[in-house]
Amino acid sequence: MNYRLVARLTGMLLLLLAAAMLLPVAVSLHFHDGALLGLVFSACVMALVGLLLRSVVGRGASLELHERESYWITASVWIVVPLVGALPYLLTGSLMSITDAVFESVSGFSTTGSSVVVDPAKLPQGLLVWRSMTQWIGGLGLILFVVALQRRLRGSTLALYGAEFSGTQQRRLHPKIATSVTRLWGIYLGTTIVLIALLALAGNGIIDSFCLALSTVSTGGFMTSATGLDGYSHLTLALITLFMFLSGVGVALLYNFFTFHWRRLRRNDEFIVYAAVYVIAVAACAVSFALRGNGVGVSVTYSLFHVASTVSTCGFYATGLEQWPFAASVVTFLLILSGAMAGSTGGGLKLRRLMTLALYLRNYFTRMLHPNAVFTIRIDRQVVPSDYVHKIFGFVFLYILFIIFGAFALTLCGSGIADAFCLAAANISNLGPSPLINTMGANLEYAMLPTGAKWTLMVLMLAGRLEIFALLAIVSPEYWRKR
Amino acid sequence: MWNDIKALLRLIGILLVAEGGLMGLCLVPAVHFADGTVVEMSVCTAVTLGVGGVLWGCFRRYRRIGDRRMAYLLVVLLWLTLTVFATLPLLLTGATHSITRAFFEAMSGLTSTGATVFSDVQSLPASVLLWRSMMQWFGGFGIVLLVVALSSRLGINRYALYTAEASGADNSGRRVVSTVLAVRRTLAVYLVATVVFIALLWSSGMEMWDAVNLTFTNISSGGFSVNGDSIASVTHLQQYILAVAMLLSGVNFTLLYLFFTFRWRQIGHKLEQFGFYIVLYLLSVAFVVGGLHWSNGYNWGDAVRLGTVQTISALTTTGSVVADTTQWWTPVCFLLLMLSICGGMAGSTSGGLKIMRVLILLRNVRGILYSRLHPNAVMPIRLNGQVVSGHIRSNVMVIFMVFGLTLLLGVMLLMLCGVNATEAIGASVGCLTGYGPGLGASGGFGSYAAFPPMALWLCSFLMLMGRLECMTVLVLLLPRFWRRG
């Protein structure tokens, strides 16, 4: 195992985080929010640890990468970075317990958006900015940072690339991995800047616009007020809805969109399914809202917002409705499990996998009647190999297993069974807060959960973000067996 | 086509005659206890026997079902017809006046689920009580297995039937012995076990009436009881005897047969899933016992007894209840529900996913992990020393998916019917796996009496789905199934 390389790459990422801290520090300096010292100090710690790892431990590391290292890098990056990212919460004194700070940080980097901060409006502005930046950095994937930074890596960079997008058969934008990664970041950055500008033009404060835009584009879901998105204008909500929908589309596909290769969009089966799912879910929710006596206009607009927020696993909510029907909870729960498109920043099982499974099931039933028939599954006019289908089955099985074990651990911490399932599902799919959780049982505030439950949820968030296999690979005995 | 349908009707006729015969047996307690249902039970018996006899007689010459589709249709129609006739004693004796409730109870009986709509069982007439136990005993064994046994020489496409009913994963049993032989052995084991356990319970001081009923419902992994508190009020020794009965009901019948006929060498290479079953069981018992002791304050003796028996009851999806489980610590309830999803071994009367499938699913995950670390390695999955073919792997995975999806949709639809979330989860798991008791009002000594009618119909459907392992029912819903050619 090439530990030096692992340390070096982790260190580089920490240095980058320290550099990113400059923005919160600047904001803090401008607003005199009293968090300056804490932020500067945590930036210094990040830089120090980063330097130590990069230049002392990782000095002279060979840049040869193997499969095994790529898993180890993924895991170490995703454990070290959220831990270090928790420093600003602690050092500014905003969150007093280590569990809370790490929870907020993990929730941010995994783009879940579950928050233990009771009233975000009371956080210092600098920290608020950092909080939303964690989601943005985690959104596209920490590993993609690494790949973009260390262009001289040799060997299986593809495995590294795939560690965060496992099992979805990413189509690269460019034969060179580093180039495609740069393009992905370009799109991501561009979308974010556009949304910030639009939100600011819609009359929101600059900090608000910044935080909401970062939460939206990364499908994280941290909000800046304790009451969700209640106080915002209709225009703001409409913009956010649109961009949530767009973030549910794969980033690679958005690249095609912005470079006017629209034909590829139309040929993409997954996109068509995504759009169809969105429309059907909106219709179902709107009808159920309207039947409960909400106005038609409110029902439709709120459904548009709510479904976009759920299917992209963003997790924004606004209490725009008086009556929340069960039917909407049902739709919501199904959407949580399905998630958005493969390659997007959202979580969940991903539509491409579900499409493959659905087609496989259809073929299976037909085979029950015609035992000797041979079928293939085609998506985007390409045959899906059966090996890949087996992998998807394995993934779905593990996903459900994680939800079950997560829910079990939550009941150990005192949750009811139904609540436990909702919490586990919402966090493994990186959704975070949702009206669903509040209607299934008692009002569940993440801040009120016991410590054990918080750590369970953290594991679930990371498992969901890394799509389980990367996390599971390094704890399997097979991984550590000497060759 | 028409010949197939006639042959199908003939088989239904045969089974109805069998059912009518069992109904006739319920006349014994009706007369003995003089519960005033002699006339009603006689009418039910006559009607069932009559319809069955007419069908059998009219179509006796049509013996061959060649079409695969007919086999699927047969299985589902059989259960539905038998259920409809099984509601007769419940309705005519006035045990319930609602068709919904009678259908639910009959379905729960014939699928050996054990969910009941009667909140006060003891007020039912003796003949109805015996009929409830009888349904489970009859259904638990698997009506289709009976069909195969009865028609073993009659030229039905036996293999198609057998795969339709259950145990798709159990290839090992079928490879060694032919289907017919397996069925005969199963029947032999089942009958002997029933007699033995009745004798055991009776000699431990139980009334004959209770002994017969409890044996019928526990050996079939059903879970109905003639007492309002299930098996909580019988002595400790009797609870342990019943636990053994339940445990056996979750073991593959071929294994049992080989074991009791001293062919232990043949068992040797089939023990893998049995080993997993035992390990899973011991781990769960340890957790449940600990939870009951520390969290619910039972003393160690009670905790061990309650924990052991209730865990067996859950893992084999029997659903007999030893204590008011609704008061138990939430994680324990959760674990029991999950165990019932695992279910017993393939080729037993228990429901759920079946241990063998769970084992294959877990091995599959291990294989995938391995192949991610060594992308070029080819790693077959082995079970009992034999390679599990890709066909069976995908078979298992599809059933898992469909099972999970049905479970999820069951919960969702039950919630739409107005059942609260926790109870919906409990009821959906309880009905689909054949465990029976759910959570909340339907858990413990409770009943499904408070469920709205829509929810009861849904639960009945879930029980049918669970017993027939989803696929057989779902394939009927495909448009392609009904298309010609």
Side-chain angles (χ1 to χ4, degrees), chain A residues 71 333 360 364 368 393, chain B residues 68 372 394-395 397 401 412:
Chain A
Y71 285 109
F333 197 85
Y360 190 82
Y364 187 89
M368 279 175 77
F393 269 123
Chain B
R68 220 180 153 83
R372 285 186 78 96
S394 53
N395 195 351
M397 285 186 284
M401 287 290 305
M412 302 285 160

Side-chain angles (χ1 to χ4, degrees), chain A residues 67-68 71 162-163 166-167 326-327 329-331 333-334 337 357 360-362 364-371 375 390-398 400-401 403-405 407-408 411-413 415-418 420-421 440 469-470 472-473 476 478-479 481 483, chain B residues 68-69 72 287 329-335 337-338 341 358 361-362 364-365 368-375 390-391 393-402 404-405 408-409 412-413 415-416 418-422 425 439 470-472 474-475 478 480-481 485:
Chain A
E67 299 273 336
R68 278 151 62 98
Y71 285 109
S166 54
F326 259 154
S329 296
V330 169
V331 175
F333 197 85
L334 294 178
L337 287 183
L357 291 188
Y360 190 82
L361 270 186
R362 194 195 63 188
Y364 187 89
F365 276 118
T366 319
R367 239 189 341 250
M368 279 175 77
L369 302 176
H370 308 284
F375 297 99
H390 279 252
K391 277 187 181 155
I392 295 183
F393 269 123
F395 175 73
V396 174
F397 176 68
L398 272 180
I400 293 172
L401 219 57
I403 292 182
I404 290 176
F405 277 108
F408 181 62
T411 57
L412 280 178
C413 303
S415 297
I417 290 180
F421 270 111
M440 290 291 274
F469 278 119
L472 216 55
S476 69
E478 187 55 46
Y479 185 79
R481 203 169 291 163
R483 273 184 280 189
Chain B
R68 220 180 153 83
R69 284 192 262 194
Y72 294 121
F287 181 83
W329 193 35
T330 321
V332 169
C333 299
F334 187 100
L335 182 70
L337 273 194
M338 291 306 128
I341 291 181
V358 178
L361 285 169
L362 288 175
N364 187 47
V365 165
I368 292 174
L369 270 181
Y370 189 89
S371 72
R372 285 186 78 96
L373 293 173
H374 309 280
H391 180 69
R393 260 163 84 178
S394 53
N395 195 351
V396 168
M397 285 186 284
V398 165
I399 287 184
F400 169 76
M401 287 290 305
V402 173
L405 214 59
L408 185 65
L409 286 179
M412 302 285 160
L413 291 176
M415 278 171 62
L416 288 184
V419 181
N420 77 42
T422 310
I425 294 175
L439 296 167
C470 302
M471 311 306 284
T472 318
L474 287 179
V475 79
L478 291 185
R480 190 186 274 269
F481 184 89

Side-chain angles (χ1 to χ4, degrees), chain B residues 22-283:
Chain B
L22 289 176
M23 254 181 227
L25 288 180
C26 295
L27 280 168
V28 176
V31 173
H32 180 76
F33 293 106
D35 60 1
T37 58
V38 179
V39 179
E40 288 88 346
M41 284 309 285
S42 311
V43 171
C44 298
T45 312
V47 169
T48 314
L49 279 178
V51 174
V54 166
L55 284 177
W56 192 358
C58 286
F59 302 115
R60 65 185 175 283
R61 270 176 295 153
Y62 300 94
R63 295 187 163 180
R64 206 178 162 75
I65 292 186
D67 192 359
R68 220 180 153 83
R69 284 192 262 194
M70 277 299 153
Y72 294 121
L73 193 61
L74 167 72
V75 175
V76 176
L77 273 186
L78 255 184
W79 283 99
L80 288 177
T81 319
L82 290 178
T83 310
V84 168
F85 279 91
T87 58
L88 286 179
L90 302 170
L91 285 170
L92 286 185
T93 57
T96 173
H97 295 292
S98 133
I99 292 177
T100 309
R101 285 161 184 271
F103 188 83
F104 177 91
E105 193 77 4
M107 185 59 91
S108 165
L110 285 175
T111 55
S112 73
T113 303
T116 182
V117 282
F118 296 117
S119 47
D120 186 15
V121 181
Q122 267 140 327
S123 65
L124 294 175
S127 58
V128 173
L129 286 178
L130 185 64
W131 176 237
R132 287 167 79 234
S133 313
M134 203 71 105
M135 283 192 293
Q136 297 207 314
W137 188 78
F138 185 42
F141 175 63
I143 293 175
V144 175
L145 283 187
L146 277 175
V147 172
V148 183
L150 284 173
S151 57
S152 58
R153 270 184 239 111
L154 306 183
I156 297 184
N157 186 347
R158 294 187 302 266
Y159 190 75
L161 270 178
Y162 196 74
T163 44
E165 206 274 340
S167 331
D170 184 23
N171 62 333
S172 59
R174 256 185 275 129
R175 228 174 255 169
V176 182
V177 292
S178 77
T179 316
V180 185
L181 204 53
V183 168
R184 282 205 193 129
R185 287 175 173 183
T186 314
L187 190 59
V189 170
Y190 198 60
L191 287 174
V192 171
T194 308
V195 174
V196 167
F197 277 101
I198 291 177
L200 271 177
L201 285 174
W202 186 57
S203 60
S204 73
M206 194 183 269
E207 300 264 333
M208 194 59 182
W209 169 245
D210 286 346
V212 168
N213 278 298
L214 287 179
T215 304
F216 278 0
T217 55
N218 284 288
I219 200 75
S220 62
S221 63
F224 277 153
S225 176
V226 285
N227 308 312
D229 54 1
S230 194
I231 58 169
S233 54
V234 304
T235 65
H236 296 181
L237 175 65
Q238 287 158 358
Q239 284 180 353
Y240 280 119
I241 295 177
L242 285 170
V244 175
M246 292 187 236
L247 188 68
L248 290 186
S249 79
V251 179
N252 183 313
F253 273 113
T254 312
L255 267 187
L256 283 184
Y257 178 82
L258 294 175
F259 182 81
F260 285 115
T261 50
F262 302 104
R263 292 174 212 180
W264 294 349
R265 199 176 290 168
Q266 289 183 40
I267 299 178
H269 60 274
K270 287 187 192 168
L271 275 184
E272 206 162 7
Q273 72 160 335
F274 189 67
F276 183 68
Y277 186 57
I278 294 297
V279 169
L280 183 70
Y281 174 69
L282 288 178
L283 285 177

Side-chain angles (χ1 to χ4, degrees), chain A residues 137-263:
Chain A
I137 294 169
L140 210 50
L142 295 174
I143 299 301
L144 284 197
F145 261 121
V146 176
V147 178
L149 280 179
Q150 191 53 279
R151 285 170 164 261
R152 283 178 301 146
L153 276 182
R154 289 185 305 272
S156 39
T157 38
L158 192 61
L160 200 57
Y161 184 77
E164 277 171 339
F165 290 111
S166 54
T168 44
Q169 280 194 329
Q170 280 305 297
R171 195 184 300 148
R172 275 171 286 157
L173 291 173
H174 190 269
K176 263 181 121 170
I177 297 264
T179 314
S180 23
V181 169
T182 318
R183 283 191 188 168
L184 287 183
W185 276 108
I187 291 293
Y188 192 55
L189 189 67
T191 323
T192 314
I193 291 172
V194 169
L195 183 56
I196 296 177
L198 285 177
L199 284 179
L201 283 179
N204 299 294
I206 184 68
I207 294 290
D208 255 8
S209 310
F210 181 83
C211 291
L212 284 183
L214 263 59
S215 292
T216 309
V217 173
S218 64
T219 68
F222 276 146
M223 285 165 286
T224 48
S225 122
T227 51
L229 296 185
D230 274 345
Y232 293 90
S233 66
H234 288 298
L235 181 60
T236 312
L237 288 186
L239 280 173
I240 288 180
T241 305
L242 174 68
F243 275 82
M244 284 193 291
F245 179 80
L246 286 182
S247 345
V249 180
V251 184
L253 207 61
L254 279 186
Y255 179 81
N256 290 329
F257 181 75
F258 287 122
T259 49
F260 303 103
H261 291 107
W262 291 355
R263 198 178 288 169

